[in-house]
Amino acid sequence: MKFSALSLFLTVTSAAVSQPKPAAKSYKGYKVFRVPVGTDASKVSGIVNKLGLTTWKGAPRAGTFADIVVPPTEVAAFNQEVSGMDVVTMHQDLGASIDEENAFGTYAAGAVNSTWFNSYHAYADHLQFLSDLVAQYPSQSEIVTSGNSVGGRPITGIHFWGSAGKSKKPAVVLHGTVHAREWVSTMTVEYLGYNLLTNYASNTEIKGFVDKYDFYVFPVVNPDGFVYSQTNDRMWRKNRQAAPSGSSCIGRDINRNWPFQWSVSGGASTDPCAQDFKGRAQGDAPETAALSSWLKTIKANQGLKLFIDYHAYSQLFMTPYGYSCTALPTKNTEFQALAKGAVAAIKAVYGTSYQYGPICTTIYKATGSSVDYVNDVVGADYTFTSELRDTGNYGFVLPASQIVPTATETYAGFRYLLQNMK
C-alpha cells in the first residue's frame, strides 16, 4: 500500500513542533536495580512476586541478571530482601532519567540532516522526517504503509531503490519499535535508511547495495504503543488493543502474536496483564496481521532477501528460532557465520560487545515471533533480530547521546550482511 508524501497524515501544524506533554504515569522516585539471579531463579522470582515488582527482561532466569523496577514505597523492603547480594543500581531515580531522555528535539519541517539523530523525537516528527526525506529524493523513494494499527494509524515506512527502478530487486525489510518503549530502535532503523539513501550518489559501496536490493524501512511498527509511551507511560511495551473479555488489561505483545508456533508453551504469556501477552488467538493483533500479510506480498512480488527486527536492550544479534531451543533452521550454519561476522563488525567500531546465536538459547524462549514466521512461513533468505544497546547501565531509557554511536555501529553489522549474503 502506498500514498504520496503530500497526502501523508501528519499532526504537525507548524514548522517547529512543540514538545509533547510529560508522561501521565510518573516514575519519580522509582529505582531500577540489577540483581544477580544465580543458579536458583526462585529466590529472585520470589522477591519480585512478594513485593509485586516488575522486571525489564522477563522473568528472572538462572545464570543471568534480573533488572527490577522498584517504586518508592517498596525500596526499603526490597533492600532488606536483597541484603548481601551484589546489587547494582541502574537508575537512582527513573523519573529523572526519563525527564532527561524526553527532552525531545524540535524539528523544522524540511530540515533533513544528520542532527536529527542527536535527540529523540515525538511521533509526529518521525512522520514528517520520513515525508521530508522522500521529498528530497522523489525519483528514488516513496512513503509506504504495511497496514494499520488497532487505533487506525498507518504503519509507515520508506521504500527506496537504485538504478533499476522500484520493486525490481529482492527486498531488504527492517522493523523497529515493535515494543513501544524501545526508542533507540526507532532512531537506529531510521539511521540505516537515511545513511543508505543520502549517500547513494556519493558512495560507491552504498550505491552497489541500493542497486542490488530494494529497501523497506519501518522505524515504528507499533505506532499506537509508541505514542502511548511518549504521552502516557514511558515503560509501555504492547500495542493498545482492547482488553479481552474478563480482563481490564490493555494490549498484546505483537512479537508473540505471529501465526507460527504460537501455541507452543513457555515462550509467551496467556495473561492479558503480562508484558508478553500472546493474544487470544494467533494473529489477532491488527498490526501482526497487517505486517505478516504485507511481507508475504513482498516475497511473492519481488522476493525477500533479508529481514531484521530491531529491539533493545541487551546487545545481541540473533537467529531463528525462538520457539524451540533445540530446533534449528536449514541454513543455521550460514546464519551463525553471518551473525558472527556482524558482531565482529559492530565491535570494530567502538568496542561494543554483542553476543550471537539462536533466539531461544541466547536470550529466552519466544513463541509467535516475527523472525520465526518470516523464516519459515514467508521464506526470506535471511532473518535476524537484534537487541541494541545497552547491557544494563541504562536499559530502555538510553541517553540521547548514545543514539549516534548505537546507530553507527549497527550500520557496520548491517553492512557486513549486505556484503556477505549469498
Side-chain angles (χ1 to χ4, degrees):
M1 185 186 302
K2 172 198 167 186
F3 54 96
S4 70
L6 292 177
S7 66
L8 175 64
F9 172 77
L10 298 171
T11 59
V12 179
T13 58
S14 62
V17 180
S18 61
Q19 294 183 7
K21 296 178 181 179
K25 180 176 175 60
S26 173
Y27 287 92
K28 182 179 180 180
Y30 279 63
K31 300 182 186 297
V32 184
F33 298 104
R34 168 157 281 196
V35 180
V37 177
T39 57
D40 182 6
S42 63
K43 180 178 180 180
V44 176
S45 294
I47 295 171
V48 169
N49 294 333
K50 178 181 178 180
L51 300 180
L53 307 178
T54 59
T55 62
W56 272 0
K57 295 172 66 181
R61 302 180 307 282
T64 65
F65 294 90
D67 298 342
I68 304 174
V69 182
V70 183
T73 55
E74 300 297 339
V75 169
F78 178 82
N79 287 336
Q80 184 175 359
E81 292 285 347
V82 299
S83 178
M85 302 174 70
D86 188 17
V87 176
V88 174
T89 302
M90 295 170 60
H91 291 277
Q92 185 66 31
D93 185 335
L94 180 58
S97 298
I98 290 172
D99 289 343
E100 180 179 353
E101 182 199 40
N102 278 8
F104 290 164
T106 55
Y107 176 67
V112 177
N113 58 62
S114 61
T115 62
W116 168 262
F117 300 100
N118 292 339
S119 61
Y120 294 103
H121 300 274
Y123 179 62
D125 286 9
H126 287 283
L127 295 180
Q128 183 70 63
F129 179 80
L130 294 178
S131 181
D132 290 344
L133 191 56
V134 166
Q136 284 198 3
Y137 302 93
S139 64
Q140 195 185 353
S141 64
E142 63 184 0
I143 294 294
V144 292
T145 70
S146 54
N148 292 324
S149 68
V150 66
R153 290 183 173 92
I155 301 172
T156 305
I158 183 172
H159 169 211
F160 55 94
W161 54 87
S163 58
K166 69 176 182 179
S167 306
K168 302 294 186 181
K169 299 290 184 177
V172 172
V173 178
L174 309 179
H175 282 182
T177 330
V178 175
H179 295 137
R181 60 192 178 187
E182 297 169 8
W183 289 6
V184 74
S185 72
T186 318
M187 302 301 299
T188 298
V189 169
E190 278 176 345
Y191 178 88
L192 298 181
Y194 171 87
N195 189 48
L196 291 174
L197 185 54
T198 60
N199 288 301
Y200 174 82
S202 60
N203 186 300
T204 302
E205 179 182 78
I206 286 177
K207 185 178 188 303
F209 294 154
V210 180
D211 284 346
K212 189 174 183 178
Y213 304 113
D214 270 43
F215 290 82
Y216 296 86
V217 177
F218 293 91
V220 182
V221 299
N222 180 9
D224 298 346
F226 184 56
V227 170
Y228 194 80
S229 77
Q230 294 190 329
T231 59
N232 292 74
D233 184 352
R234 176 61 186 88
M235 293 296 106
W236 188 260
R237 169 184 166 103
K238 299 183 284 185
N239 74 354
R240 294 294 300 164
Q241 198 160 348
S245 177
S247 174
S248 61
C249 293
I250 299 294
R252 283 153 170 73
D253 182 343
I254 62 173
N255 202 39
R256 301 294 184 274
N257 188 246
W258 291 70
F260 177 72
Q261 300 294 349
W262 178 85
S263 298
V264 175
S265 63
S269 178
T270 58
D271 178 2
C273 297
Q275 296 278 16
D276 60 345
F277 174 50
K278 65 195 298 182
R280 289 302 195 203
Q282 62 180 14
D284 69 349
E287 295 85 355
T288 306
L291 292 166
S292 59
S293 176
W294 183 86
L295 284 162
K296 289 169 75 173
T297 299
I298 289 294
K299 166 66 176 178
N301 289 346
Q302 62 189 103
L304 180 53
K305 176 58 65 171
L306 173 65
F307 172 81
I308 308 180
D309 200 354
Y310 283 101
H311 292 259
Y313 61 101
S314 287
Q315 294 174 198
L316 305 171
F317 199 86
M318 297 178 288
T319 62
Y321 293 115
Y323 79 89
S324 170
C325 290
T326 55
L328 295 171
T330 304
K331 298 171 66 171
N332 182 63
T333 300
E334 186 179 2
F335 281 1
Q336 299 313 315
L338 286 170
K340 180 180 180 180
V343 164
I346 291 168
K347 187 171 185 178
V349 181
Y350 300 114
T352 307
S353 294
Y354 273 57
Q355 303 298 314
Y356 71 93
I359 296 166
C360 189
T361 53
T362 304
I363 185 168
Y364 43 59
K365 190 174 186 179
T367 51
S369 73
S370 64
V371 169
D372 290 359
Y373 177 89
V374 174
N375 188 79
D376 276 35
V377 178
V378 177
D381 291 345
Y382 299 96
T383 57
F384 300 94
T385 187
S386 181
E387 297 278 352
L388 303 171
R389 291 191 185 190
D390 60 4
T391 57
N393 290 327
Y394 299 100
F396 296 118
V397 189
L398 192 71
S401 61
Q402 292 202 32
I403 294 171
V404 172
T406 301
T408 302
E409 66 194 13
T410 300
Y411 177 75
F414 182 48
R415 171 178 178 259
Y416 178 87
L417 298 179
L418 296 177
Q419 289 174 321
N420 290 279
M421 293 184 304
K422 294 179 181 178

